[in-house]
Short mmCIF file of all heavy atoms in Angstrom, two decimals:
data_model
loop_
_atom_site.label_atom_id
_atom_site.label_comp_id
_atom_site.label_asym_id
_atom_site.label_seq_id
_atom_site.Cartn_x
_atom_site.Cartn_y
_atom_site.Cartn_z
N THR A 179 -97.38 60.87 -11.95
CA THR A 179 -97.58 60.33 -13.30
C THR A 179 -96.45 60.77 -14.23
O THR A 179 -95.91 59.97 -15.00
CB THR A 179 -98.92 60.80 -13.87
OG1 THR A 179 -99.98 60.35 -13.01
CG2 THR A 179 -99.14 60.25 -15.27
N VAL A 180 -96.08 62.06 -14.14
CA VAL A 180 -94.99 62.57 -14.97
C VAL A 180 -93.70 61.82 -14.67
O VAL A 180 -92.96 61.42 -15.58
CB VAL A 180 -94.80 64.08 -14.73
CG1 VAL A 180 -93.58 64.60 -15.52
CG2 VAL A 180 -96.05 64.84 -15.14
N THR A 181 -93.44 61.61 -13.39
CA THR A 181 -92.21 60.93 -13.00
C THR A 181 -92.17 59.51 -13.56
O THR A 181 -91.15 59.06 -14.07
CB THR A 181 -92.08 60.87 -11.47
OG1 THR A 181 -92.12 62.20 -10.96
CG2 THR A 181 -90.79 60.21 -11.04
N ARG A 182 -93.28 58.80 -13.49
CA ARG A 182 -93.28 57.43 -13.97
C ARG A 182 -93.14 57.37 -15.49
O ARG A 182 -92.55 56.42 -16.03
CB ARG A 182 -94.54 56.71 -13.50
CG ARG A 182 -94.54 56.53 -11.98
CD ARG A 182 -95.51 55.48 -11.51
NE ARG A 182 -95.38 55.28 -10.06
CZ ARG A 182 -96.04 54.36 -9.38
NH1 ARG A 182 -96.86 53.54 -9.99
NH2 ARG A 182 -95.87 54.24 -8.08
N VAL A 183 -93.67 58.37 -16.20
CA VAL A 183 -93.46 58.43 -17.65
C VAL A 183 -91.98 58.63 -17.95
O VAL A 183 -91.40 57.96 -18.82
CB VAL A 183 -94.30 59.57 -18.27
CG1 VAL A 183 -93.87 59.79 -19.73
CG2 VAL A 183 -95.78 59.24 -18.21
N LEU A 184 -91.34 59.54 -17.20
CA LEU A 184 -89.92 59.79 -17.39
C LEU A 184 -89.09 58.56 -17.05
O LEU A 184 -88.09 58.25 -17.71
CB LEU A 184 -89.47 60.98 -16.57
CG LEU A 184 -90.01 62.35 -17.02
CD1 LEU A 184 -89.68 63.42 -15.99
CD2 LEU A 184 -89.47 62.73 -18.38
N LEU A 185 -89.51 57.85 -16.00
CA LEU A 185 -88.80 56.62 -15.64
C LEU A 185 -88.99 55.56 -16.72
O LEU A 185 -88.10 54.75 -16.97
CB LEU A 185 -89.30 56.11 -14.29
CG LEU A 185 -88.91 56.95 -13.08
CD1 LEU A 185 -89.56 56.40 -11.82
CD2 LEU A 185 -87.40 57.00 -12.92
N GLY A 186 -90.16 55.57 -17.36
CA GLY A 186 -90.38 54.66 -18.48
C GLY A 186 -89.41 54.95 -19.61
O GLY A 186 -88.88 54.02 -20.25
N ILE A 187 -89.16 56.23 -19.86
CA ILE A 187 -88.17 56.61 -20.85
C ILE A 187 -86.80 56.08 -20.44
O ILE A 187 -85.99 55.64 -21.26
CB ILE A 187 -88.13 58.15 -21.01
CG1 ILE A 187 -89.45 58.65 -21.58
CG2 ILE A 187 -86.95 58.58 -21.89
CD1 ILE A 187 -89.56 60.16 -21.63
N GLY A 188 -86.56 56.12 -19.11
CA GLY A 188 -85.29 55.59 -18.60
C GLY A 188 -85.12 54.11 -18.89
O GLY A 188 -84.00 53.66 -19.16
N MET A 189 -86.22 53.35 -18.84
CA MET A 189 -86.13 51.93 -19.15
C MET A 189 -85.77 51.72 -20.63
O MET A 189 -85.00 50.82 -20.97
CB MET A 189 -87.45 51.23 -18.81
CG MET A 189 -87.83 51.28 -17.34
SD MET A 189 -86.52 50.67 -16.23
CE MET A 189 -86.50 48.93 -16.67
N VAL A 190 -86.33 52.57 -21.49
CA VAL A 190 -85.94 52.53 -22.90
C VAL A 190 -84.45 52.88 -23.02
O VAL A 190 -83.71 52.29 -23.82
CB VAL A 190 -86.79 53.52 -23.73
CG1 VAL A 190 -86.29 53.59 -25.17
CG2 VAL A 190 -88.25 53.10 -23.69
N GLY A 191 -84.04 53.83 -22.17
CA GLY A 191 -82.64 54.24 -22.17
C GLY A 191 -81.70 53.11 -21.81
O GLY A 191 -80.58 53.03 -22.33
N ILE A 192 -82.12 52.23 -20.91
CA ILE A 192 -81.28 51.09 -20.53
C ILE A 192 -81.03 50.20 -21.74
O ILE A 192 -79.89 49.76 -21.99
CB ILE A 192 -81.95 50.29 -19.40
CG1 ILE A 192 -81.96 51.12 -18.11
CG2 ILE A 192 -81.20 48.97 -19.16
CD1 ILE A 192 -82.73 50.48 -16.98
N LEU A 193 -82.08 49.94 -22.51
CA LEU A 193 -81.92 49.11 -23.71
C LEU A 193 -81.02 49.80 -24.72
O LEU A 193 -80.18 49.15 -25.37
CB LEU A 193 -83.30 48.83 -24.33
CG LEU A 193 -84.28 48.03 -23.46
CD1 LEU A 193 -85.63 47.89 -24.16
CD2 LEU A 193 -83.71 46.66 -23.12
N THR A 194 -81.17 51.11 -24.86
CA THR A 194 -80.32 51.87 -25.78
C THR A 194 -78.87 51.81 -25.33
O THR A 194 -77.94 51.65 -26.16
CB THR A 194 -80.80 53.34 -25.84
OG1 THR A 194 -82.19 53.38 -26.16
CG2 THR A 194 -80.02 54.12 -26.88
N MET A 195 -78.65 51.96 -24.02
CA MET A 195 -77.30 51.91 -23.46
C MET A 195 -76.66 50.54 -23.67
O MET A 195 -75.48 50.43 -24.01
CB MET A 195 -77.38 52.25 -21.96
CG MET A 195 -76.07 52.26 -21.23
SD MET A 195 -76.31 52.85 -19.53
CE MET A 195 -77.36 51.53 -18.86
N LEU A 196 -77.45 49.48 -23.48
CA LEU A 196 -76.93 48.13 -23.68
C LEU A 196 -76.61 47.88 -25.16
O LEU A 196 -75.66 47.15 -25.48
CB LEU A 196 -77.94 47.10 -23.16
CG LEU A 196 -78.07 47.02 -21.64
CD1 LEU A 196 -79.20 46.07 -21.25
CD2 LEU A 196 -76.75 46.57 -21.00
N ALA A 197 -77.41 48.48 -26.04
CA ALA A 197 -77.12 48.36 -27.47
C ALA A 197 -75.78 49.00 -27.79
O ALA A 197 -74.97 48.46 -28.57
CB ALA A 197 -78.23 49.01 -28.30
N LEU A 198 -75.52 50.16 -27.18
CA LEU A 198 -74.23 50.83 -27.37
C LEU A 198 -73.09 49.95 -26.85
O LEU A 198 -72.05 49.80 -27.51
CB LEU A 198 -74.23 52.17 -26.64
CG LEU A 198 -72.87 52.90 -26.56
CD1 LEU A 198 -72.37 53.25 -27.95
CD2 LEU A 198 -73.00 54.15 -25.69
N ALA A 199 -73.29 49.36 -25.67
CA ALA A 199 -72.25 48.48 -25.09
C ALA A 199 -71.97 47.32 -26.02
O ALA A 199 -70.80 46.92 -26.22
CB ALA A 199 -72.71 47.98 -23.73
N PHE A 200 -73.02 46.74 -26.62
CA PHE A 200 -72.85 45.61 -27.54
C PHE A 200 -72.03 46.03 -28.76
O PHE A 200 -71.12 45.30 -29.20
CB PHE A 200 -74.22 45.09 -27.98
CG PHE A 200 -74.15 44.00 -29.02
CD1 PHE A 200 -73.84 42.70 -28.67
CD2 PHE A 200 -74.38 44.29 -30.37
CE1 PHE A 200 -73.77 41.69 -29.63
CE2 PHE A 200 -74.32 43.31 -31.33
CZ PHE A 200 -74.01 41.99 -30.96
N VAL A 201 -72.33 47.21 -29.30
CA VAL A 201 -71.60 47.70 -30.48
C VAL A 201 -70.13 47.92 -30.13
O VAL A 201 -69.23 47.53 -30.90
CB VAL A 201 -72.23 49.01 -30.99
CG1 VAL A 201 -71.33 49.65 -32.05
CG2 VAL A 201 -73.61 48.74 -31.57
N ILE A 202 -69.87 48.53 -28.96
CA ILE A 202 -68.49 48.80 -28.56
C ILE A 202 -67.71 47.50 -28.40
O ILE A 202 -66.60 47.35 -28.94
CB ILE A 202 -68.46 49.60 -27.24
CG1 ILE A 202 -69.01 51.00 -27.45
CG2 ILE A 202 -67.02 49.68 -26.70
CD1 ILE A 202 -69.18 51.79 -26.16
N ILE A 203 -68.28 46.56 -27.65
CA ILE A 203 -67.58 45.30 -27.40
C ILE A 203 -67.34 44.55 -28.71
O ILE A 203 -66.26 43.97 -28.93
CB ILE A 203 -68.38 44.44 -26.40
CG1 ILE A 203 -68.38 45.10 -25.01
CG2 ILE A 203 -67.81 43.03 -26.31
CD1 ILE A 203 -69.30 44.45 -24.01
N THR A 204 -68.33 44.55 -29.59
CA THR A 204 -68.19 43.86 -30.88
C THR A 204 -67.10 44.48 -31.73
O THR A 204 -66.24 43.78 -32.30
CB THR A 204 -69.53 43.88 -31.64
OG1 THR A 204 -70.54 43.24 -30.85
CG2 THR A 204 -69.40 43.17 -32.98
N ARG A 205 -67.10 45.81 -31.82
CA ARG A 205 -66.11 46.49 -32.66
C ARG A 205 -64.71 46.36 -32.08
O ARG A 205 -63.75 46.12 -32.82
CB ARG A 205 -66.48 47.97 -32.82
CG ARG A 205 -67.69 48.22 -33.73
CD ARG A 205 -67.84 49.69 -34.05
NE ARG A 205 -66.64 50.24 -34.69
CZ ARG A 205 -66.49 51.53 -35.01
NH1 ARG A 205 -67.47 52.39 -34.76
NH2 ARG A 205 -65.37 51.94 -35.57
N VAL A 206 -64.58 46.52 -30.76
CA VAL A 206 -63.26 46.39 -30.14
C VAL A 206 -62.76 44.95 -30.28
O VAL A 206 -61.58 44.71 -30.59
CB VAL A 206 -63.30 46.80 -28.65
CG1 VAL A 206 -61.99 46.48 -27.95
CG2 VAL A 206 -63.60 48.29 -28.52
N GLY A 207 -63.66 43.98 -30.07
CA GLY A 207 -63.27 42.58 -30.16
C GLY A 207 -62.86 42.16 -31.56
O GLY A 207 -62.00 41.29 -31.75
N SER A 208 -63.45 42.79 -32.58
CA SER A 208 -63.14 42.45 -33.97
C SER A 208 -61.98 43.26 -34.53
O SER A 208 -61.57 43.05 -35.68
CB SER A 208 -64.38 42.66 -34.85
OG SER A 208 -64.74 44.03 -34.88
N GLY A 209 -61.47 44.19 -33.74
CA GLY A 209 -60.37 45.03 -34.20
C GLY A 209 -60.81 46.20 -35.04
O GLY A 209 -59.96 46.95 -35.57
N ASN A 210 -62.12 46.40 -35.19
CA ASN A 210 -62.66 47.51 -35.97
C ASN A 210 -63.05 48.66 -35.05
O ASN A 210 -64.21 49.04 -34.93
CB ASN A 210 -63.87 47.02 -36.78
CG ASN A 210 -64.47 48.13 -37.63
OD1 ASN A 210 -63.79 49.06 -38.05
ND2 ASN A 210 -65.78 48.02 -37.88
N ALA A 211 -62.05 49.22 -34.36
CA ALA A 211 -62.31 50.25 -33.36
C ALA A 211 -61.18 51.27 -33.37
O ALA A 211 -60.06 50.97 -33.83
CB ALA A 211 -62.44 49.62 -31.97
N PRO A 212 -61.44 52.48 -32.88
CA PRO A 212 -60.39 53.52 -32.85
C PRO A 212 -59.36 53.31 -31.75
O PRO A 212 -58.54 54.19 -31.52
CB PRO A 212 -61.20 54.81 -32.62
CG PRO A 212 -62.43 54.38 -31.91
CD PRO A 212 -62.76 53.02 -32.46
N VAL A 213 -59.42 52.20 -31.05
CA VAL A 213 -58.42 51.88 -30.02
C VAL A 213 -57.80 50.52 -30.37
O VAL A 213 -58.41 49.70 -31.06
CB VAL A 213 -59.05 51.83 -28.60
CG1 VAL A 213 -59.58 53.19 -28.21
CG2 VAL A 213 -60.16 50.78 -28.52
#
Side-chain angles (χ1 to χ4, degrees):
T179 301
V180 176
T181 302
R182 293 198 175 184
V183 169
L184 291 171
L185 290 175
I187 295 174
M189 297 307 293
V190 174
I192 292 174
L193 297 177
T194 306
M195 180 174 65
L196 289 174
L198 171 63
F200 175 78
V201 170
I202 292 173
I203 292 172
T204 300
R205 288 191 58 183
V206 172
S208 65
N210 181 28
V213 296

